Amino acid sequence: MLGRGEHAEITAFVGQTVNSELSGNMIDLCPVGALTSKPFRYSARTWELSRRKSISPHDSVGANLMVQVKGHRVMRVLPFENEAINECWLSDKDRFSYEALNSSERLTKPMIKQDGQWHEVDWHTALAYVTQGLSKIKQSHGAASIGALASPHSTVEELHLWQQLARGIGTENIDFRLRQSDFSETLPTAPWLGMPIAALSNLDSALVVGALLCSDHPLFAARLRQAAKAGAQIHLLHAIDDDALIPTAQRLVAAPSAWLEELAGVAVALAQASNLAVPKAFNGVTPSAAARKIATQLGLPQLGAQRAILLGNAVVQHPDFSLLYAAAQWIARHTGATLGFLTEAANTIGAHLVGAVPRAGGLSAAEMFKQPRKAYLLFNVEAEYDTANPAQACAALAQAEMVVSLSTFKHGLEYADVVLPVAAFTETAGTLINAQGTVQSFNGVVQALGEARPGWKILTVLGQLLELPGFAYETAEAVRATALEGIEITARLSNCSQSAPSLKLKLSDRPALQTGDMVLERLPEVSIYHADPLVRRAESLQLTRTAQAASRVSLPAKLFDQLGLVAGDAVRVRQGESVVTMPAVRDARLPETVARVPAATHASAQLGSLFGELRIEKA
């Protein structure tokens, strides 16, 4: 507070700002309204706004929202209290991403590409074009030449109709796991948190693997912070000594290729301390001092202790996912810890439950791009940003005879042939299932922008035009009832530590990384403000330090100094045949063999595998 008496003024502290993913909560906490939301300020009076309940479509928390509306326009988003899920808090992406709802990039009319030029058309023309094109490709190349990909931020209703449409056409090439590269059959059918969200606040100990908590799951991080402040022992394994703002007991910082060996070290230390047989896959592993301390703490006999091993987004995206999962499962089983997943998207579990994955020999998302299809059906997928290998994905889409994109935004115009405008989450009814398996439905709070239509309605009409059975729906509630009919969610979300995948592969059998001058492993952070289409287009979020940092590559201190760089100097990042130029910063928190190259950004969209090898040189 500057000044005194009637001249007192609330302001930022001498040029400093609050750099936090939860900063907006200070607005709610201010008892006199002196702290205000800059995007909302001066735009409306509070009493002019209608208040309507909704659910956040961003991450697996499923935060409850109060959306405030004036004149069919979303003006502000506030938290709706739900102690079991988000308490009374929101992350900034939940609070401020509404700016994207009226972005100039919104797709408001169907469009068709003819002779390389885009033309706006009516819905009848666009849908007829899609149905005729798909029928022609199926007849010429077979149904297996068609691939269907959807975003895991889509609703249960949309994903159910999406997979039903694809299977009705005759293809099993259906997937939503866009950033995943390891699709071993031993993985759980519906990976989930393994416990209620509220239980995170009461843990006695936890090992968190492959999660940048503040960025990936800020509200989960807040609960783990509560647990740590109450005395919980929190251990972290990642490729950067990132400040999670949580008091931690042990940190294991290792290159992504060494994560399995680090987990193996914990397993071996646990086996030695408990007189258990060491898994054959881990023969020859020598635990580090930190691994021994983690094993000792997790294995400490304590009546009623609540322990957890939590696998983050980077583990699921890792090329050794199945082995990391198996190692974590072995540790969990022998310590009594709950094994859970900090699932990536708003409806990851819902997508699993409604069967939006390949069956009977169908191709996974990664395989659909590695083995290009003749046609692709994309539902809110932005291939440059949302896939495990953007360069490969864009090349596959570019060669296809037909790409149909159902999207909220004007995107993919380089490779799509027809784009259909999908209503945003505030403009439609739908259902999301969060990390703990809670089914949460919501209704639209404003009218759809332009000629955009709810995704479930578009898919229903497409199914009818293709003369497929089971598309006679009048309401989203009817779709929801069919999608979840007969699904015992509690039974499907069985504890991930109960059925163990095998650990057959020895560490020494894994292919070694190349070694040589300037060859580095990539750490592909997906920034909190680039993780989905809405946050990527929210102006205020893109002005934050976190978003700005996603335009730079972070280099280990030794390499940065060796190249003779100063902060902001440009470097060339080479990955296979792909080359991008980015400004570089020095980051002493990184291992010597790791470069932090953000994913889901314009620059990194030209690169390949999220966990590939890089060569870096001064530009």
PDB file of all heavy atoms in Angstrom, residues 543-579:
ATOM      1  N   LEU A 543       0.576 -13.146 -22.002  1.00  0.00           N
ATOM      2  CA  LEU A 543       1.464 -12.058 -21.590  1.00  0.00           C
ATOM      3  C   LEU A 543       2.230 -12.383 -20.309  1.00  0.00           C
ATOM      4  O   LEU A 543       3.066 -11.600 -19.873  1.00  0.00           O
ATOM      5  CB  LEU A 543       0.645 -10.779 -21.377  1.00  0.00           C
ATOM      6  CG  LEU A 543       0.024 -10.160 -22.638  1.00  0.00           C
ATOM      7  CD1 LEU A 543      -0.864  -8.982 -22.269  1.00  0.00           C
ATOM      8  CD2 LEU A 543       1.100  -9.734 -23.618  1.00  0.00           C
ATOM      9  N   THR A 544       1.962 -13.542 -19.706  1.00  0.00           N
ATOM     10  CA  THR A 544       2.626 -13.909 -18.458  1.00  0.00           C
ATOM     11  C   THR A 544       4.069 -14.331 -18.714  1.00  0.00           C
ATOM     12  O   THR A 544       4.443 -14.695 -19.834  1.00  0.00           O
ATOM     13  CB  THR A 544       1.888 -15.059 -17.762  1.00  0.00           C
ATOM     14  OG1 THR A 544       1.896 -16.202 -18.626  1.00  0.00           O
ATOM     15  CG2 THR A 544       0.448 -14.681 -17.438  1.00  0.00           C
ATOM     16  N   ARG A 545       4.878 -14.286 -17.661  1.00  0.00           N
ATOM     17  CA  ARG A 545       6.267 -14.733 -17.780  1.00  0.00           C
ATOM     18  C   ARG A 545       6.336 -16.197 -18.195  1.00  0.00           C
ATOM     19  O   ARG A 545       7.203 -16.594 -18.976  1.00  0.00           O
ATOM     20  CB  ARG A 545       6.975 -14.561 -16.434  1.00  0.00           C
ATOM     21  CG  ARG A 545       7.232 -13.136 -16.007  1.00  0.00           C
ATOM     22  CD  ARG A 545       8.046 -13.138 -14.725  1.00  0.00           C
ATOM     23  NE  ARG A 545       8.103 -11.827 -14.116  1.00  0.00           N
ATOM     24  CZ  ARG A 545       8.679 -11.599 -12.952  1.00  0.00           C
ATOM     25  NH1 ARG A 545       9.237 -12.587 -12.284  1.00  0.00           N
ATOM     26  NH2 ARG A 545       8.690 -10.381 -12.434  1.00  0.00           N
ATOM     27  N   THR A 546       5.429 -16.999 -17.661  1.00  0.00           N
ATOM     28  CA  THR A 546       5.433 -18.429 -17.969  1.00  0.00           C
ATOM     29  C   THR A 546       5.219 -18.664 -19.454  1.00  0.00           C
ATOM     30  O   THR A 546       5.910 -19.475 -20.072  1.00  0.00           O
ATOM     31  CB  THR A 546       4.346 -19.150 -17.158  1.00  0.00           C
ATOM     32  OG1 THR A 546       4.576 -18.931 -15.762  1.00  0.00           O
ATOM     33  CG2 THR A 546       4.345 -20.633 -17.445  1.00  0.00           C
ATOM     34  N   ALA A 547       4.253 -17.967 -20.034  1.00  0.00           N
ATOM     35  CA  ALA A 547       3.988 -18.126 -21.465  1.00  0.00           C
ATOM     36  C   ALA A 547       5.147 -17.605 -22.303  1.00  0.00           C
ATOM     37  O   ALA A 547       5.528 -18.219 -23.312  1.00  0.00           O
ATOM     38  CB  ALA A 547       2.695 -17.410 -21.836  1.00  0.00           C
ATOM     39  N   GLN A 548       5.720 -16.485 -21.889  1.00  0.00           N
ATOM     40  CA  GLN A 548       6.840 -15.914 -22.644  1.00  0.00           C
ATOM     41  C   GLN A 548       8.053 -16.838 -22.615  1.00  0.00           C
ATOM     42  O   GLN A 548       8.799 -16.941 -23.583  1.00  0.00           O
ATOM     43  CB  GLN A 548       7.207 -14.546 -22.070  1.00  0.00           C
ATOM     44  CG  GLN A 548       6.108 -13.496 -22.197  1.00  0.00           C
ATOM     45  CD  GLN A 548       5.796 -13.127 -23.641  1.00  0.00           C
ATOM     46  OE1 GLN A 548       6.697 -12.910 -24.441  1.00  0.00           O
ATOM     47  NE2 GLN A 548       4.521 -13.094 -23.972  1.00  0.00           N
ATOM     48  N   ALA A 549       8.246 -17.518 -21.495  1.00  0.00           N
ATOM     49  CA  ALA A 549       9.391 -18.424 -21.369  1.00  0.00           C
ATOM     50  C   ALA A 549       9.295 -19.592 -22.339  1.00  0.00           C
ATOM     51  O   ALA A 549      10.312 -20.204 -22.689  1.00  0.00           O
ATOM     52  CB  ALA A 549       9.497 -18.938 -19.940  1.00  0.00           C
ATOM     53  N   ALA A 550       8.083 -19.908 -22.790  1.00  0.00           N
ATOM     54  CA  ALA A 550       7.901 -21.045 -23.697  1.00  0.00           C
ATOM     55  C   ALA A 550       8.433 -20.774 -25.098  1.00  0.00           C
ATOM     56  O   ALA A 550       8.466 -21.676 -25.939  1.00  0.00           O
ATOM     57  CB  ALA A 550       6.418 -21.421 -23.767  1.00  0.00           C
ATOM     58  N   SER A 551       8.858 -19.554 -25.357  1.00  0.00           N
ATOM     59  CA  SER A 551       9.434 -19.229 -26.670  1.00  0.00           C
ATOM     60  C   SER A 551      10.948 -19.389 -26.684  1.00  0.00           C
ATOM     61  O   SER A 551      11.582 -19.130 -27.704  1.00  0.00           O
ATOM     62  CB  SER A 551       9.068 -17.796 -27.059  1.00  0.00           C
ATOM     63  OG  SER A 551       9.668 -16.868 -26.151  1.00  0.00           O
ATOM     64  N   ARG A 552      11.536 -19.832 -25.542  1.00  0.00           N
ATOM     65  CA  ARG A 552      12.990 -19.934 -25.433  1.00  0.00           C
ATOM     66  C   ARG A 552      13.413 -21.372 -25.144  1.00  0.00           C
ATOM     67  O   ARG A 552      12.674 -22.149 -24.551  1.00  0.00           O
ATOM     68  CB  ARG A 552      13.499 -19.008 -24.323  1.00  0.00           C
ATOM     69  CG  ARG A 552      13.138 -17.555 -24.521  1.00  0.00           C
ATOM     70  CD  ARG A 552      13.830 -16.662 -23.501  1.00  0.00           C
ATOM     71  NE  ARG A 552      13.304 -16.867 -22.158  1.00  0.00           N
ATOM     72  CZ  ARG A 552      12.313 -16.151 -21.629  1.00  0.00           C
ATOM     73  NH1 ARG A 552      11.726 -15.214 -22.347  1.00  0.00           N
ATOM     74  NH2 ARG A 552      11.906 -16.371 -20.396  1.00  0.00           N
ATOM     75  N   VAL A 553      14.622 -21.705 -25.552  1.00  0.00           N
ATOM     76  CA  VAL A 553      15.204 -22.997 -25.228  1.00  0.00           C
ATOM     77  C   VAL A 553      16.165 -22.793 -24.053  1.00  0.00           C
ATOM     78  O   VAL A 553      16.949 -21.850 -24.037  1.00  0.00           O
ATOM     79  CB  VAL A 553      15.932 -23.616 -26.441  1.00  0.00           C
ATOM     80  CG1 VAL A 553      16.971 -22.671 -27.008  1.00  0.00           C
ATOM     81  CG2 VAL A 553      16.573 -24.939 -26.069  1.00  0.00           C
ATOM     82  N   SER A 554      16.053 -23.675 -23.058  1.00  0.00           N
ATOM     83  CA  SER A 554      16.932 -23.599 -21.888  1.00  0.00           C
ATOM     84  C   SER A 554      18.062 -24.609 -22.050  1.00  0.00           C
ATOM     85  O   SER A 554      17.805 -25.797 -22.314  1.00  0.00           O
ATOM     86  CB  SER A 554      16.143 -23.893 -20.612  1.00  0.00           C
ATOM     87  OG  SER A 554      15.117 -22.949 -20.426  1.00  0.00           O
ATOM     88  N   LEU A 555      19.291 -24.143 -21.878  1.00  0.00           N
ATOM     89  CA  LEU A 555      20.458 -24.995 -22.057  1.00  0.00           C
ATOM     90  C   LEU A 555      21.165 -25.201 -20.720  1.00  0.00           C
ATOM     91  O   LEU A 555      21.180 -24.306 -19.872  1.00  0.00           O
ATOM     92  CB  LEU A 555      21.428 -24.366 -23.048  1.00  0.00           C
ATOM     93  CG  LEU A 555      20.900 -24.113 -24.462  1.00  0.00           C
ATOM     94  CD1 LEU A 555      21.996 -23.488 -25.321  1.00  0.00           C
ATOM     95  CD2 LEU A 555      20.388 -25.398 -25.092  1.00  0.00           C
ATOM     96  N   PRO A 556      21.782 -26.372 -20.528  1.00  0.00           N
ATOM     97  CA  PRO A 556      22.568 -26.582 -19.306  1.00  0.00           C
ATOM     98  C   PRO A 556      23.725 -25.589 -19.251  1.00  0.00           C
ATOM     99  O   PRO A 556      24.244 -25.148 -20.290  1.00  0.00           O
ATOM    100  CB  PRO A 556      23.052 -28.029 -19.443  1.00  0.00           C
ATOM    101  CG  PRO A 556      22.960 -28.337 -20.899  1.00  0.00           C
ATOM    102  CD  PRO A 556      21.811 -27.547 -21.421  1.00  0.00           C
ATOM    103  N   ALA A 557      24.118 -25.246 -18.052  1.00  0.00           N
ATOM    104  CA  ALA A 557      25.117 -24.188 -17.861  1.00  0.00           C
ATOM    105  C   ALA A 557      26.406 -24.465 -18.621  1.00  0.00           C
ATOM    106  O   ALA A 557      26.983 -23.570 -19.252  1.00  0.00           O
ATOM    107  CB  ALA A 557      25.391 -24.022 -16.364  1.00  0.00           C
ATOM    108  N   LYS A 558      26.884 -25.713 -18.589  1.00  0.00           N
ATOM    109  CA  LYS A 558      28.156 -26.043 -19.231  1.00  0.00           C
ATOM    110  C   LYS A 558      28.105 -25.797 -20.739  1.00  0.00           C
ATOM    111  O   LYS A 558      29.015 -25.191 -21.313  1.00  0.00           O
ATOM    112  CB  LYS A 558      28.524 -27.497 -18.944  1.00  0.00           C
ATOM    113  CG  LYS A 558      29.857 -27.930 -19.533  1.00  0.00           C
ATOM    114  CD  LYS A 558      30.177 -29.377 -19.168  1.00  0.00           C
ATOM    115  CE  LYS A 558      31.494 -29.822 -19.788  1.00  0.00           C
ATOM    116  NZ  LYS A 558      31.815 -31.237 -19.429  1.00  0.00           N
ATOM    117  N   LEU A 559      27.042 -26.239 -21.390  1.00  0.00           N
ATOM    118  CA  LEU A 559      26.919 -26.048 -22.833  1.00  0.00           C
ATOM    119  C   LEU A 559      26.740 -24.574 -23.169  1.00  0.00           C
ATOM    120  O   LEU A 559      27.328 -24.070 -24.140  1.00  0.00           O
ATOM    121  CB  LEU A 559      25.749 -26.866 -23.366  1.00  0.00           C
ATOM    122  CG  LEU A 559      25.444 -26.697 -24.856  1.00  0.00           C
ATOM    123  CD1 LEU A 559      26.626 -27.139 -25.706  1.00  0.00           C
ATOM    124  CD2 LEU A 559      24.189 -27.461 -25.254  1.00  0.00           C
ATOM    125  N   PHE A 560      25.915 -23.882 -22.392  1.00  0.00           N
ATOM    126  CA  PHE A 560      25.676 -22.459 -22.636  1.00  0.00           C
ATOM    127  C   PHE A 560      26.993 -21.677 -22.619  1.00  0.00           C
ATOM    128  O   PHE A 560      27.266 -20.868 -23.506  1.00  0.00           O
ATOM    129  CB  PHE A 560      24.710 -21.934 -21.568  1.00  0.00           C
ATOM    130  CG  PHE A 560      24.194 -20.548 -21.822  1.00  0.00           C
ATOM    131  CD1 PHE A 560      23.035 -20.346 -22.553  1.00  0.00           C
ATOM    132  CD2 PHE A 560      24.860 -19.435 -21.331  1.00  0.00           C
ATOM    133  CE1 PHE A 560      22.540 -19.076 -22.784  1.00  0.00           C
ATOM    134  CE2 PHE A 560      24.392 -18.156 -21.559  1.00  0.00           C
ATOM    135  CZ  PHE A 560      23.229 -17.981 -22.288  1.00  0.00           C
ATOM    136  N   ASP A 561      27.811 -21.967 -21.622  1.00  0.00           N
ATOM    137  CA  ASP A 561      29.105 -21.284 -21.516  1.00  0.00           C
ATOM    138  C   ASP A 561      30.054 -21.736 -22.619  1.00  0.00           C
ATOM    139  O   ASP A 561      30.815 -20.934 -23.176  1.00  0.00           O
ATOM    140  CB  ASP A 561      29.729 -21.565 -20.150  1.00  0.00           C
ATOM    141  CG  ASP A 561      28.897 -20.994 -19.007  1.00  0.00           C
ATOM    142  OD1 ASP A 561      28.077 -20.101 -19.267  1.00  0.00           O
ATOM    143  OD2 ASP A 561      29.053 -21.482 -17.867  1.00  0.00           O
ATOM    144  N   GLN A 562      30.009 -23.008 -22.964  1.00  0.00           N
ATOM    145  CA  GLN A 562      30.892 -23.547 -23.995  1.00  0.00           C
ATOM    146  C   GLN A 562      30.617 -22.901 -25.351  1.00  0.00           C
ATOM    147  O   GLN A 562      31.543 -22.674 -26.148  1.00  0.00           O
ATOM    148  CB  GLN A 562      30.697 -25.070 -24.076  1.00  0.00           C
ATOM    149  CG  GLN A 562      31.628 -25.774 -25.044  1.00  0.00           C
ATOM    150  CD  GLN A 562      31.402 -27.288 -25.028  1.00  0.00           C
ATOM    151  OE1 GLN A 562      30.819 -27.828 -24.100  1.00  0.00           O
ATOM    152  NE2 GLN A 562      31.870 -27.958 -26.070  1.00  0.00           N
ATOM    153  N   LEU A 563      29.341 -22.592 -25.614  1.00  0.00           N
ATOM    154  CA  LEU A 563      28.973 -21.964 -26.874  1.00  0.00           C
ATOM    155  C   LEU A 563      29.220 -20.457 -26.861  1.00  0.00           C
ATOM    156  O   LEU A 563      29.037 -19.784 -27.882  1.00  0.00           O
ATOM    157  CB  LEU A 563      27.491 -22.237 -27.183  1.00  0.00           C
ATOM    158  CG  LEU A 563      27.121 -23.690 -27.510  1.00  0.00           C
ATOM    159  CD1 LEU A 563      25.615 -23.823 -27.673  1.00  0.00           C
ATOM    160  CD2 LEU A 563      27.830 -24.158 -28.782  1.00  0.00           C
ATOM    161  N   GLY A 564      29.609 -19.919 -25.723  1.00  0.00           N
ATOM    162  CA  GLY A 564      29.887 -18.494 -25.624  1.00  0.00           C
ATOM    163  C   GLY A 564      28.658 -17.623 -25.766  1.00  0.00           C
ATOM    164  O   GLY A 564      28.714 -16.549 -26.382  1.00  0.00           O
ATOM    165  N   LEU A 565      27.562 -18.065 -25.186  1.00  0.00           N
ATOM    166  CA  LEU A 565      26.290 -17.361 -25.332  1.00  0.00           C
ATOM    167  C   LEU A 565      26.066 -16.376 -24.194  1.00  0.00           C
ATOM    168  O   LEU A 565      26.615 -16.519 -23.104  1.00  0.00           O
ATOM    169  CB  LEU A 565      25.132 -18.369 -25.347  1.00  0.00           C
ATOM    170  CG  LEU A 565      25.152 -19.436 -26.442  1.00  0.00           C
ATOM    171  CD1 LEU A 565      24.066 -20.473 -26.181  1.00  0.00           C
ATOM    172  CD2 LEU A 565      24.947 -18.795 -27.814  1.00  0.00           C
ATOM    173  N   VAL A 566      25.256 -15.374 -24.483  1.00  0.00           N
ATOM    174  CA  VAL A 566      24.683 -14.533 -23.439  1.00  0.00           C
ATOM    175  C   VAL A 566      23.166 -14.677 -23.561  1.00  0.00           C
ATOM    176  O   VAL A 566      22.644 -15.066 -24.611  1.00  0.00           O
ATOM    177  CB  VAL A 566      25.102 -13.054 -23.585  1.00  0.00           C
ATOM    178  CG1 VAL A 566      26.595 -12.905 -23.409  1.00  0.00           C
ATOM    179  CG2 VAL A 566      24.658 -12.490 -24.942  1.00  0.00           C
ATOM    180  N   ALA A 567      22.461 -14.397 -22.472  1.00  0.00           N
ATOM    181  CA  ALA A 567      21.011 -14.607 -22.445  1.00  0.00           C
ATOM    182  C   ALA A 567      20.328 -13.924 -23.624  1.00  0.00           C
ATOM    183  O   ALA A 567      20.554 -12.737 -23.901  1.00  0.00           O
ATOM    184  CB  ALA A 567      20.435 -14.103 -21.130  1.00  0.00           C
ATOM    185  N   GLY A 568      19.523 -14.682 -24.351  1.00  0.00           N
ATOM    186  CA  GLY A 568      18.791 -14.141 -25.487  1.00  0.00           C
ATOM    187  C   GLY A 568      19.440 -14.398 -26.827  1.00  0.00           C
ATOM    188  O   GLY A 568      18.808 -14.180 -27.875  1.00  0.00           O
ATOM    189  N   ASP A 569      20.703 -14.862 -26.838  1.00  0.00           N
ATOM    190  CA  ASP A 569      21.353 -15.203 -28.110  1.00  0.00           C
ATOM    191  C   ASP A 569      20.591 -16.333 -28.792  1.00  0.00           C
ATOM    192  O   ASP A 569      20.060 -17.247 -28.142  1.00  0.00           O
ATOM    193  CB  ASP A 569      22.797 -15.645 -27.864  1.00  0.00           C
ATOM    194  CG  ASP A 569      23.752 -14.474 -27.716  1.00  0.00           C
ATOM    195  OD1 ASP A 569      23.288 -13.332 -27.875  1.00  0.00           O
ATOM    196  OD2 ASP A 569      24.938 -14.704 -27.421  1.00  0.00           O
ATOM    197  N   ALA A 570      20.568 -16.311 -30.108  1.00  0.00           N
ATOM    198  CA  ALA A 570      19.851 -17.327 -30.872  1.00  0.00           C
ATOM    199  C   ALA A 570      20.717 -18.572 -31.051  1.00  0.00           C
ATOM    200  O   ALA A 570      21.937 -18.484 -31.241  1.00  0.00           O
ATOM    201  CB  ALA A 570      19.440 -16.775 -32.230  1.00  0.00           C
ATOM    202  N   VAL A 571      20.077 -19.734 -30.980  1.00  0.00           N
ATOM    203  CA  VAL A 571      20.744 -21.001 -31.269  1.00  0.00           C
ATOM    204  C   VAL A 571      19.911 -21.765 -32.288  1.00  0.00           C
ATOM    205  O   VAL A 571      18.699 -21.564 -32.393  1.00  0.00           O
ATOM    206  CB  VAL A 571      20.920 -21.857 -29.996  1.00  0.00           C
ATOM    207  CG1 VAL A 571      21.876 -21.205 -29.025  1.00  0.00           C
ATOM    208  CG2 VAL A 571      19.589 -22.143 -29.328  1.00  0.00           C
ATOM    209  N   ARG A 572      20.587 -22.625 -33.050  1.00  0.00           N
ATOM    210  CA  ARG A 572      19.896 -23.518 -33.978  1.00  0.00           C
ATOM    211  C   ARG A 572      19.688 -24.854 -33.287  1.00  0.00           C
ATOM    212  O   ARG A 572      20.657 -25.476 -32.824  1.00  0.00           O
ATOM    213  CB  ARG A 572      20.686 -23.683 -35.272  1.00  0.00           C
ATOM    214  CG  ARG A 572      20.468 -22.565 -36.271  1.00  0.00           C
ATOM    215  CD  ARG A 572      21.085 -22.899 -37.621  1.00  0.00           C
ATOM    216  NE  ARG A 572      22.541 -22.868 -37.532  1.00  0.00           N
ATOM    217  CZ  ARG A 572      23.289 -21.788 -37.727  1.00  0.00           C
ATOM    218  NH1 ARG A 572      22.716 -20.639 -38.007  1.00  0.00           N
ATOM    219  NH2 ARG A 572      24.597 -21.852 -37.628  1.00  0.00           N
ATOM    220  N   VAL A 573      18.449 -25.290 -33.241  1.00  0.00           N
ATOM    221  CA  VAL A 573      18.092 -26.569 -32.641  1.00  0.00           C
ATOM    222  C   VAL A 573      17.777 -27.537 -33.777  1.00  0.00           C
ATOM    223  O   VAL A 573      16.838 -27.313 -34.554  1.00  0.00           O
ATOM    224  CB  VAL A 573      16.879 -26.426 -31.700  1.00  0.00           C
ATOM    225  CG1 VAL A 573      16.527 -27.773 -31.065  1.00  0.00           C
ATOM    226  CG2 VAL A 573      17.151 -25.385 -30.635  1.00  0.00           C
ATOM    227  N   ARG A 574      18.568 -28.595 -33.873  1.00  0.00           N
ATOM    228  CA  ARG A 574      18.379 -29.583 -34.942  1.00  0.00           C
ATOM    229  C   ARG A 574      17.843 -30.887 -34.344  1.00  0.00           C
ATOM    230  O   ARG A 574      18.385 -31.408 -33.388  1.00  0.00           O
ATOM    231  CB  ARG A 574      19.698 -29.870 -35.648  1.00  0.00           C
ATOM    232  CG  ARG A 574      20.326 -28.668 -36.329  1.00  0.00           C
ATOM    233  CD  ARG A 574      21.637 -29.035 -37.022  1.00  0.00           C
ATOM    234  NE  ARG A 574      22.274 -27.871 -37.617  1.00  0.00           N
ATOM    235  CZ  ARG A 574      21.994 -27.432 -38.842  1.00  0.00           C
ATOM    236  NH1 ARG A 574      21.122 -28.078 -39.588  1.00  0.00           N
ATOM    237  NH2 ARG A 574      22.607 -26.361 -39.315  1.00  0.00           N
ATOM    238  N   GLN A 575      16.787 -31.382 -34.957  1.00  0.00           N
ATOM    239  CA  GLN A 575      16.246 -32.686 -34.578  1.00  0.00           C
ATOM    240  C   GLN A 575      15.938 -33.438 -35.864  1.00  0.00           C
ATOM    241  O   GLN A 575      14.964 -33.160 -36.544  1.00  0.00           O
ATOM    242  CB  GLN A 575      14.987 -32.537 -33.720  1.00  0.00           C
ATOM    243  CG  GLN A 575      14.506 -33.858 -33.140  1.00  0.00           C
ATOM    244  CD  GLN A 575      13.325 -33.670 -32.205  1.00  0.00           C
ATOM    245  OE1 GLN A 575      12.564 -32.712 -32.321  1.00  0.00           O
ATOM    246  NE2 GLN A 575      13.155 -34.578 -31.271  1.00  0.00           N
ATOM    247  N   GLY A 576      16.813 -34.372 -36.204  1.00  0.00           N
ATOM    248  CA  GLY A 576      16.681 -35.043 -37.486  1.00  0.00           C
ATOM    249  C   GLY A 576      16.847 -34.042 -38.614  1.00  0.00           C
ATOM    250  O   GLY A 576      17.828 -33.303 -38.677  1.00  0.00           O
ATOM    251  N   GLU A 577      15.867 -33.985 -39.511  1.00  0.00           N
ATOM    252  CA  GLU A 577      15.914 -33.049 -40.625  1.00  0.00           C
ATOM    253  C   GLU A 577      15.339 -31.684 -40.274  1.00  0.00           C
ATOM    254  O   GLU A 577      15.411 -30.755 -41.076  1.00  0.00           O
ATOM    255  CB  GLU A 577      15.137 -33.637 -41.814  1.00  0.00           C
ATOM    256  CG  GLU A 577      15.681 -34.957 -42.332  1.00  0.00           C
ATOM    257  CD  GLU A 577      17.110 -34.831 -42.831  1.00  0.00           C
ATOM    258  OE1 GLU A 577      17.412 -33.808 -43.487  1.00  0.00           O
ATOM    259  OE2 GLU A 577      17.914 -35.741 -42.558  1.00  0.00           O
ATOM    260  N   SER A 578      14.752 -31.564 -39.099  1.00  0.00           N
ATOM    261  CA  SER A 578      14.095 -30.321 -38.708  1.00  0.00           C
ATOM    262  C   SER A 578      15.087 -29.388 -38.010  1.00  0.00           C
ATOM    263  O   SER A 578      15.897 -29.831 -37.195  1.00  0.00           O
ATOM    264  CB  SER A 578      12.923 -30.605 -37.771  1.00  0.00           C
ATOM    265  OG  SER A 578      11.982 -31.470 -38.375  1.00  0.00           O
ATOM    266  N   VAL A 579      14.988 -28.108 -38.330  1.00  0.00           N
ATOM    267  CA  VAL A 579      15.848 -27.095 -37.719  1.00  0.00           C
ATOM    268  C   VAL A 579      15.004 -25.883 -37.374  1.00  0.00           C
ATOM    269  O   VAL A 579      14.236 -25.390 -38.205  1.00  0.00           O
ATOM    270  CB  VAL A 579      16.992 -26.668 -38.663  1.00  0.00           C
ATOM    271  CG1 VAL A 579      17.884 -25.648 -37.959  1.00  0.00           C
ATOM    272  CG2 VAL A 579      17.799 -27.862 -39.118  1.00  0.00           C
TER     273      VAL A 579
END
